[in-house]
Amino acid sequence: MLDMLDIYLIFALILYVLGIYTLASARNMIKLVIGIEILVAAANLNFLALGAFTSSASILGPVDPLVQDFVILSICIGGAVAAIAMSLIVNAYRHYGTLDVRELRRLKG
């Protein structure tokens, strides 16, 4: 029988594997940013799940405020990183006319 903590951890593992697969298989820079954001969401879910189930693996308790602070900070940093990455992607597309990472790698001097 799976506890609630196990279900959260399995879902976080699925998100992590999905993010790694996206990073390994995608050639488009926007898909790479989405893969990174999926990895960040998996890490945040792990933090929240492990912070909420401190007393028992099946009873949802109060989430540790320190964990909440770390997750909120992580979401803010992730949003800022995604915004900067998207602005770099837009500039790269305007300059080179492609979002393919392998084609951009060939342009390297």
Side-chain angles (χ1 to χ4, degrees):
M1 180 88 180
L2 292 175
D3 294 326
M4 287 297 292
L5 178 61
D6 296 333
I7 293 171
Y8 282 111
L9 294 179
I10 289 171
F11 187 69
L13 178 68
I14 291 170
L15 280 177
Y16 188 79
V17 169
L18 183 66
I20 291 293
Y21 175 75
T22 304
L23 287 178
S25 65
R27 295 171 56 178
N28 190 325
M29 288 195 295
I30 294 175
K31 289 180 182 176
L32 292 176
V33 171
I34 290 172
I36 291 170
E37 290 300 315
I38 290 171
L39 287 175
V40 170
N44 289 338
L45 181 61
N46 267 336
F47 274 129
L48 285 176
L50 293 174
F53 292 98
T54 55
S55 61
S56 173
S58 60
I59 300 172
L60 180 64
V63 179
D64 188 10
L66 184 63
V67 172
Q68 290 178 353
D69 291 340
F70 279 128
V71 169
I72 290 172
L73 185 65
S74 172
I75 290 170
C76 292
I77 291 173
V81 167
I84 291 171
M86 294 306 279
S87 68
L88 291 174
I89 289 170
V90 167
N91 282 333
Y93 182 75
R94 286 183 183 161
H95 191 268
Y96 297 111
T98 183
L99 293 178
D100 191 357
V101 176
R102 292 185 183 149
E103 288 186 27
L104 291 175
R105 201 175 289 158
R106 270 192 286 149
L107 299 174
K108 184 174 148 184

